[in-house]
PDB file of all heavy atoms in Angstrom:
ATOM      1  N   HIS A 197      11.046 -20.629 -20.468  1.00 96.00           N
ATOM      2  CA  HIS A 197       9.847 -21.386 -20.086  1.00 96.00           C
ATOM      3  C   HIS A 197       9.104 -21.887 -21.325  1.00 96.00           C
ATOM      4  O   HIS A 197       8.590 -23.020 -21.342  1.00 96.00           O
ATOM      5  CB  HIS A 197       8.932 -20.506 -19.228  1.00 96.00           C
ATOM      6  CG  HIS A 197       7.780 -21.244 -18.636  1.00 96.00           C
ATOM      7  ND1 HIS A 197       7.925 -22.339 -17.810  1.00 96.00           N
ATOM      8  CD2 HIS A 197       6.439 -21.056 -18.748  1.00 96.00           C
ATOM      9  CE1 HIS A 197       6.733 -22.791 -17.443  1.00 96.00           C
ATOM     10  NE2 HIS A 197       5.816 -22.032 -18.007  1.00 96.00           N
ATOM     11  N   ARG A 198       9.041 -21.055 -22.356  1.00 96.00           N
ATOM     12  CA  ARG A 198       8.406 -21.473 -23.610  1.00 96.00           C
ATOM     13  C   ARG A 198       9.147 -22.664 -24.226  1.00 96.00           C
ATOM     14  O   ARG A 198       8.527 -23.650 -24.631  1.00 96.00           O
ATOM     15  CB  ARG A 198       8.402 -20.317 -24.614  1.00 96.00           C
ATOM     16  CG  ARG A 198       7.466 -19.170 -24.271  1.00 96.00           C
ATOM     17  CD  ARG A 198       7.616 -18.066 -25.295  1.00 96.00           C
ATOM     18  NE  ARG A 198       6.738 -16.944 -25.009  1.00 96.00           N
ATOM     19  CZ  ARG A 198       6.034 -16.274 -25.933  1.00 96.00           C
ATOM     20  NH1 ARG A 198       6.128 -16.636 -27.204  1.00 96.00           N
ATOM     21  NH2 ARG A 198       5.271 -15.265 -25.597  1.00 96.00           N
ATOM     22  N   ILE A 199      10.476 -22.541 -24.306  1.00 96.00           N
ATOM     23  CA  ILE A 199      11.285 -23.608 -24.908  1.00 96.00           C
ATOM     24  C   ILE A 199      11.142 -24.903 -24.111  1.00 96.00           C
ATOM     25  O   ILE A 199      10.970 -25.991 -24.679  1.00 96.00           O
ATOM     26  CB  ILE A 199      12.767 -23.189 -24.981  1.00 96.00           C
ATOM     27  CG1 ILE A 199      12.938 -21.952 -25.869  1.00 96.00           C
ATOM     28  CG2 ILE A 199      13.626 -24.339 -25.498  1.00 96.00           C
ATOM     29  CD1 ILE A 199      12.473 -22.129 -27.293  1.00 96.00           C
ATOM     30  N   LEU A 200      11.198 -24.789 -22.777  1.00 97.00           N
ATOM     31  CA  LEU A 200      11.079 -25.973 -21.927  1.00 97.00           C
ATOM     32  C   LEU A 200       9.686 -26.597 -22.050  1.00 97.00           C
ATOM     33  O   LEU A 200       9.530 -27.818 -22.044  1.00 97.00           O
ATOM     34  CB  LEU A 200      11.373 -25.612 -20.470  1.00 97.00           C
ATOM     35  CG  LEU A 200      12.844 -25.370 -20.128  1.00 97.00           C
ATOM     36  CD1 LEU A 200      12.973 -24.717 -18.749  1.00 97.00           C
ATOM     37  CD2 LEU A 200      13.630 -26.669 -20.168  1.00 97.00           C
ATOM     38  N   GLY A 201       8.658 -25.752 -22.149  1.00 96.00           N
ATOM     39  CA  GLY A 201       7.293 -26.260 -22.302  1.00 96.00           C
ATOM     40  C   GLY A 201       7.125 -27.041 -23.592  1.00 96.00           C
ATOM     41  O   GLY A 201       6.547 -28.137 -23.608  1.00 96.00           O
ATOM     42  N   ILE A 202       7.636 -26.469 -24.693  1.00 96.00           N
ATOM     43  CA  ILE A 202       7.560 -27.157 -25.990  1.00 96.00           C
ATOM     44  C   ILE A 202       8.355 -28.463 -25.938  1.00 96.00           C
ATOM     45  O   ILE A 202       7.918 -29.500 -26.450  1.00 96.00           O
ATOM     46  CB  ILE A 202       8.094 -26.233 -27.101  1.00 96.00           C
ATOM     47  CG1 ILE A 202       7.165 -25.031 -27.281  1.00 96.00           C
ATOM     48  CG2 ILE A 202       8.221 -26.997 -28.420  1.00 96.00           C
ATOM     49  CD1 ILE A 202       7.747 -23.926 -28.138  1.00 96.00           C
ATOM     50  N   ALA A 203       9.531 -28.412 -25.304  1.00 97.00           N
ATOM     51  CA  ALA A 203      10.368 -29.611 -25.191  1.00 97.00           C
ATOM     52  C   ALA A 203       9.663 -30.687 -24.366  1.00 97.00           C
ATOM     53  O   ALA A 203       9.744 -31.881 -24.683  1.00 97.00           O
ATOM     54  CB  ALA A 203      11.707 -29.252 -24.565  1.00 97.00           C
ATOM     55  N   SER A 204       8.958 -30.292 -23.312  1.00 97.00           N
ATOM     56  CA  SER A 204       8.248 -31.251 -22.460  1.00 97.00           C
ATOM     57  C   SER A 204       7.131 -31.949 -23.232  1.00 97.00           C
ATOM     58  O   SER A 204       6.974 -33.176 -23.161  1.00 97.00           O
ATOM     59  CB  SER A 204       7.668 -30.547 -21.230  1.00 97.00           C
ATOM     60  OG  SER A 204       8.691 -30.099 -20.366  1.00 97.00           O
ATOM     61  N   VAL A 205       6.327 -31.172 -23.966  1.00 97.00           N
ATOM     62  CA  VAL A 205       5.243 -31.757 -24.756  1.00 97.00           C
ATOM     63  C   VAL A 205       5.807 -32.689 -25.822  1.00 97.00           C
ATOM     64  O   VAL A 205       5.265 -33.784 -26.070  1.00 97.00           O
ATOM     65  CB  VAL A 205       4.382 -30.650 -25.407  1.00 97.00           C
ATOM     66  CG1 VAL A 205       3.349 -31.267 -26.357  1.00 97.00           C
ATOM     67  CG2 VAL A 205       3.662 -29.840 -24.342  1.00 97.00           C
ATOM     68  N   THR A 206       6.909 -32.283 -26.446  1.00 97.00           N
ATOM     69  CA  THR A 206       7.555 -33.120 -27.465  1.00 97.00           C
ATOM     70  C   THR A 206       8.048 -34.432 -26.852  1.00 97.00           C
ATOM     71  O   THR A 206       7.867 -35.517 -27.423  1.00 97.00           O
ATOM     72  CB  THR A 206       8.738 -32.368 -28.108  1.00 97.00           C
ATOM     73  OG1 THR A 206       8.272 -31.128 -28.655  1.00 97.00           O
ATOM     74  CG2 THR A 206       9.376 -33.198 -29.205  1.00 97.00           C
ATOM     75  N   ALA A 207       8.670 -34.339 -25.662  1.00 97.00           N
ATOM     76  CA  ALA A 207       9.195 -35.536 -24.994  1.00 97.00           C
ATOM     77  C   ALA A 207       8.068 -36.485 -24.591  1.00 97.00           C
ATOM     78  O   ALA A 207       8.189 -37.709 -24.747  1.00 97.00           O
ATOM     79  CB  ALA A 207      10.008 -35.124 -23.768  1.00 97.00           C
ATOM     80  N   VAL A 208       6.972 -35.928 -24.074  1.00 98.00           N
ATOM     81  CA  VAL A 208       5.833 -36.760 -23.677  1.00 98.00           C
ATOM     82  C   VAL A 208       5.229 -37.457 -24.899  1.00 98.00           C
ATOM     83  O   VAL A 208       4.881 -38.648 -24.848  1.00 98.00           O
ATOM     84  CB  VAL A 208       4.766 -35.908 -22.960  1.00 98.00           C
ATOM     85  CG1 VAL A 208       3.469 -36.697 -22.785  1.00 98.00           C
ATOM     86  CG2 VAL A 208       5.276 -35.445 -21.598  1.00 98.00           C
ATOM     87  N   THR A 209       5.111 -36.723 -26.000  1.00 97.00           N
ATOM     88  CA  THR A 209       4.577 -37.316 -27.239  1.00 97.00           C
ATOM     89  C   THR A 209       5.483 -38.440 -27.741  1.00 97.00           C
ATOM     90  O   THR A 209       5.009 -39.516 -28.134  1.00 97.00           O
ATOM     91  CB  THR A 209       4.432 -36.234 -28.327  1.00 97.00           C
ATOM     92  OG1 THR A 209       3.614 -35.161 -27.832  1.00 97.00           O
ATOM     93  CG2 THR A 209       3.795 -36.816 -29.581  1.00 97.00           C
ATOM     94  N   ALA A 210       6.793 -38.197 -27.712  1.00 97.00           N
ATOM     95  CA  ALA A 210       7.749 -39.220 -28.144  1.00 97.00           C
ATOM     96  C   ALA A 210       7.692 -40.438 -27.228  1.00 97.00           C
ATOM     97  O   ALA A 210       7.777 -41.589 -27.693  1.00 97.00           O
ATOM     98  CB  ALA A 210       9.153 -38.633 -28.168  1.00 97.00           C
ATOM     99  N   LEU A 211       7.536 -40.204 -25.924  1.00 97.00           N
ATOM    100  CA  LEU A 211       7.416 -41.301 -24.963  1.00 97.00           C
ATOM    101  C   LEU A 211       6.187 -42.149 -25.270  1.00 97.00           C
ATOM    102  O   LEU A 211       6.236 -43.389 -25.249  1.00 97.00           O
ATOM    103  CB  LEU A 211       7.335 -40.743 -23.541  1.00 97.00           C
ATOM    104  CG  LEU A 211       7.181 -41.759 -22.406  1.00 97.00           C
ATOM    105  CD1 LEU A 211       8.463 -42.567 -22.246  1.00 97.00           C
ATOM    106  CD2 LEU A 211       6.844 -41.053 -21.091  1.00 97.00           C
ATOM    107  N   TYR A 212       5.077 -41.480 -25.576  1.00 97.00           N
ATOM    108  CA  TYR A 212       3.837 -42.199 -25.912  1.00 97.00           C
ATOM    109  C   TYR A 212       4.018 -43.040 -27.173  1.00 97.00           C
ATOM    110  O   TYR A 212       3.648 -44.223 -27.201  1.00 97.00           O
ATOM    111  CB  TYR A 212       2.701 -41.190 -26.099  1.00 97.00           C
ATOM    112  CG  TYR A 212       1.446 -41.799 -26.663  1.00 97.00           C
ATOM    113  CD1 TYR A 212       0.577 -42.524 -25.856  1.00 97.00           C
ATOM    114  CD2 TYR A 212       1.144 -41.662 -28.015  1.00 97.00           C
ATOM    115  CE1 TYR A 212      -0.578 -43.106 -26.376  1.00 97.00           C
ATOM    116  CE2 TYR A 212      -0.004 -42.237 -28.548  1.00 97.00           C
ATOM    117  CZ  TYR A 212      -0.860 -42.959 -27.729  1.00 97.00           C
ATOM    118  OH  TYR A 212      -1.988 -43.533 -28.242  1.00 97.00           O
ATOM    119  N   LEU A 213       4.603 -42.437 -28.215  1.00 96.00           N
ATOM    120  CA  LEU A 213       4.785 -43.158 -29.481  1.00 96.00           C
ATOM    121  C   LEU A 213       5.726 -44.346 -29.309  1.00 96.00           C
ATOM    122  O   LEU A 213       5.502 -45.426 -29.884  1.00 96.00           O
ATOM    123  CB  LEU A 213       5.324 -42.196 -30.543  1.00 96.00           C
ATOM    124  CG  LEU A 213       4.363 -41.072 -30.970  1.00 96.00           C
ATOM    125  CD1 LEU A 213       5.062 -40.121 -31.924  1.00 96.00           C
ATOM    126  CD2 LEU A 213       3.089 -41.635 -31.578  1.00 96.00           C
ATOM    127  N   PHE A 214       6.768 -44.155 -28.511  1.00 95.00           N
ATOM    128  CA  PHE A 214       7.706 -45.254 -28.258  1.00 95.00           C
ATOM    129  C   PHE A 214       7.034 -46.383 -27.472  1.00 95.00           C
ATOM    130  O   PHE A 214       7.277 -47.563 -27.725  1.00 95.00           O
ATOM    131  CB  PHE A 214       8.920 -44.721 -27.501  1.00 95.00           C
ATOM    132  CG  PHE A 214       9.973 -45.760 -27.226  1.00 95.00           C
ATOM    133  CD1 PHE A 214      10.612 -46.422 -28.269  1.00 95.00           C
ATOM    134  CD2 PHE A 214      10.322 -46.090 -25.924  1.00 95.00           C
ATOM    135  CE1 PHE A 214      11.578 -47.385 -28.028  1.00 95.00           C
ATOM    136  CE2 PHE A 214      11.284 -47.058 -25.669  1.00 95.00           C
ATOM    137  CZ  PHE A 214      11.916 -47.710 -26.720  1.00 95.00           C
ATOM    138  N   SER A 215       6.176 -46.013 -26.520  1.00 95.00           N
ATOM    139  CA  SER A 215       5.504 -47.033 -25.694  1.00 95.00           C
ATOM    140  C   SER A 215       4.547 -47.889 -26.516  1.00 95.00           C
ATOM    141  O   SER A 215       4.253 -49.033 -26.142  1.00 95.00           O
ATOM    142  CB  SER A 215       4.740 -46.359 -24.552  1.00 95.00           C
ATOM    143  OG  SER A 215       3.578 -45.683 -25.037  1.00 95.00           O
ATOM    144  N   ARG A 216       4.046 -47.340 -27.644  1.00 93.00           N
ATOM    145  CA  ARG A 216       3.115 -48.092 -28.476  1.00 93.00           C
ATOM    146  C   ARG A 216       3.784 -49.298 -29.143  1.00 93.00           C
ATOM    147  O   ARG A 216       3.104 -50.231 -29.574  1.00 93.00           O
ATOM    148  CB  ARG A 216       2.530 -47.180 -29.565  1.00 93.00           C
ATOM    149  CG  ARG A 216       1.771 -45.981 -29.044  1.00 93.00           C
ATOM    150  CD  ARG A 216       0.466 -46.337 -28.409  1.00 93.00           C
ATOM    151  NE  ARG A 216      -0.484 -46.891 -29.359  1.00 93.00           N
ATOM    152  CZ  ARG A 216      -1.691 -47.345 -29.046  1.00 93.00           C
ATOM    153  NH1 ARG A 216      -2.082 -47.328 -27.778  1.00 93.00           N
ATOM    154  NH2 ARG A 216      -2.492 -47.817 -29.974  1.00 93.00           N
ATOM    155  N   LYS A 217       5.121 -49.271 -29.217  1.00 90.00           N
ATOM    156  CA  LYS A 217       5.847 -50.349 -29.878  1.00 90.00           C
ATOM    157  C   LYS A 217       6.183 -51.501 -28.927  1.00 90.00           C
ATOM    158  O   LYS A 217       6.730 -52.512 -29.351  1.00 90.00           O
ATOM    159  CB  LYS A 217       7.156 -49.804 -30.465  1.00 90.00           C
ATOM    160  CG  LYS A 217       6.968 -48.676 -31.472  1.00 90.00           C
ATOM    161  CD  LYS A 217       8.308 -48.140 -31.930  1.00 90.00           C
ATOM    162  CE  LYS A 217       8.140 -46.984 -32.914  1.00 90.00           C
ATOM    163  NZ  LYS A 217       9.460 -46.445 -33.339  1.00 90.00           N
ATOM    164  N   ILE A 218       5.867 -51.305 -27.623  1.00 90.00           N
ATOM    165  CA  ILE A 218       6.256 -52.294 -26.615  1.00 90.00           C
ATOM    166  C   ILE A 218       5.004 -52.919 -26.007  1.00 90.00           C
ATOM    167  O   ILE A 218       4.052 -52.207 -25.678  1.00 90.00           O
ATOM    168  CB  ILE A 218       7.089 -51.621 -25.495  1.00 90.00           C
ATOM    169  CG1 ILE A 218       8.249 -50.831 -26.095  1.00 90.00           C
ATOM    170  CG2 ILE A 218       7.599 -52.643 -24.497  1.00 90.00           C
ATOM    171  CD1 ILE A 218       9.006 -50.002 -25.074  1.00 90.00           C
ATOM    172  N   PRO A 219       4.970 -54.239 -25.830  1.00 89.00           N
ATOM    173  CA  PRO A 219       3.836 -54.864 -25.123  1.00 89.00           C
ATOM    174  C   PRO A 219       3.875 -54.502 -23.638  1.00 89.00           C
ATOM    175  O   PRO A 219       4.796 -54.882 -22.918  1.00 89.00           O
ATOM    176  CB  PRO A 219       4.068 -56.367 -25.342  1.00 89.00           C
ATOM    177  CG  PRO A 219       5.535 -56.496 -25.645  1.00 89.00           C
ATOM    178  CD  PRO A 219       5.956 -55.229 -26.324  1.00 89.00           C
ATOM    179  N   LEU A 220       2.892 -53.719 -23.195  1.00 89.00           N
ATOM    180  CA  LEU A 220       2.855 -53.230 -21.818  1.00 89.00           C
ATOM    181  C   LEU A 220       1.542 -53.631 -21.151  1.00 89.00           C
ATOM    182  O   LEU A 220       0.523 -53.814 -21.826  1.00 89.00           O
ATOM    183  CB  LEU A 220       2.976 -51.697 -21.792  1.00 89.00           C
ATOM    184  CG  LEU A 220       4.296 -51.097 -22.275  1.00 89.00           C
ATOM    185  CD1 LEU A 220       4.175 -49.584 -22.388  1.00 89.00           C
ATOM    186  CD2 LEU A 220       5.436 -51.461 -21.331  1.00 89.00           C
ATOM    187  N   PRO A 221       1.531 -53.746 -19.818  1.00 89.00           N
ATOM    188  CA  PRO A 221       0.279 -54.015 -19.096  1.00 89.00           C
ATOM    189  C   PRO A 221      -0.719 -52.877 -19.304  1.00 89.00           C
ATOM    190  O   PRO A 221      -0.335 -51.734 -19.600  1.00 89.00           O
ATOM    191  CB  PRO A 221       0.724 -54.089 -17.630  1.00 89.00           C
ATOM    192  CG  PRO A 221       2.188 -54.330 -17.674  1.00 89.00           C
ATOM    193  CD  PRO A 221       2.693 -53.690 -18.916  1.00 89.00           C
ATOM    194  N   ARG A 222      -1.980 -53.173 -19.143  1.00 91.00           N
ATOM    195  CA  ARG A 222      -3.049 -52.189 -19.373  1.00 91.00           C
ATOM    196  C   ARG A 222      -2.864 -50.957 -18.490  1.00 91.00           C
ATOM    197  O   ARG A 222      -3.073 -49.829 -18.941  1.00 91.00           O
ATOM    198  CB  ARG A 222      -4.406 -52.849 -19.097  1.00 91.00           C
ATOM    199  CG  ARG A 222      -5.598 -51.922 -19.301  1.00 91.00           C
ATOM    200  CD  ARG A 222      -6.907 -52.679 -19.167  1.00 91.00           C
ATOM    201  NE  ARG A 222      -8.045 -51.777 -19.269  1.00 91.00           N
ATOM    202  CZ  ARG A 222      -8.603 -51.160 -18.232  1.00 91.00           C
ATOM    203  NH1 ARG A 222      -8.106 -51.370 -17.005  1.00 91.00           N
ATOM    204  NH2 ARG A 222      -9.637 -50.360 -18.392  1.00 91.00           N
ATOM    205  N   ARG A 223      -2.466 -51.175 -17.249  1.00 90.00           N
ATOM    206  CA  ARG A 223      -2.306 -50.054 -16.315  1.00 90.00           C
ATOM    207  C   ARG A 223      -1.216 -49.089 -16.786  1.00 90.00           C
ATOM    208  O   ARG A 223      -1.380 -47.860 -16.730  1.00 90.00           O
ATOM    209  CB  ARG A 223      -1.968 -50.602 -14.924  1.00 90.00           C
ATOM    210  CG  ARG A 223      -2.164 -49.613 -13.796  1.00 90.00           C
ATOM    211  CD  ARG A 223      -1.987 -50.304 -12.460  1.00 90.00           C
ATOM    212  NE  ARG A 223      -0.596 -50.621 -12.178  1.00 90.00           N
ATOM    213  CZ  ARG A 223      -0.182 -51.595 -11.367  1.00 90.00           C
ATOM    214  NH1 ARG A 223      -1.068 -52.372 -10.780  1.00 90.00           N
ATOM    215  NH2 ARG A 223       1.094 -51.801 -11.141  1.00 90.00           N
ATOM    216  N   THR A 224      -0.112 -49.644 -17.278  1.00 90.00           N
ATOM    217  CA  THR A 224       0.989 -48.823 -17.765  1.00 90.00           C
ATOM    218  C   THR A 224       0.582 -48.063 -19.019  1.00 90.00           C
ATOM    219  O   THR A 224       0.890 -46.875 -19.169  1.00 90.00           O
ATOM    220  CB  THR A 224       2.222 -49.703 -18.065  1.00 90.00           C
ATOM    221  OG1 THR A 224       2.509 -50.509 -16.934  1.00 90.00           O
ATOM    222  CG2 THR A 224       3.429 -48.847 -18.399  1.00 90.00           C
TER     223      THR A 224
END
Side-chain angles (χ1 to χ4, degrees):
H197 188 58
R198 290 177 180 222
I199 298 301
L200 286 167
I202 293 168
S204 292
V205 174
T206 303
V208 169
T209 304
L211 179 69
Y212 171 79
L213 294 175
F214 182 61
S215 72
R216 300 289 295 177
K217 301 176 181 179
I218 308 173
L220 294 171
R222 180 174 176 270
R223 197 172 73 205
T224 308

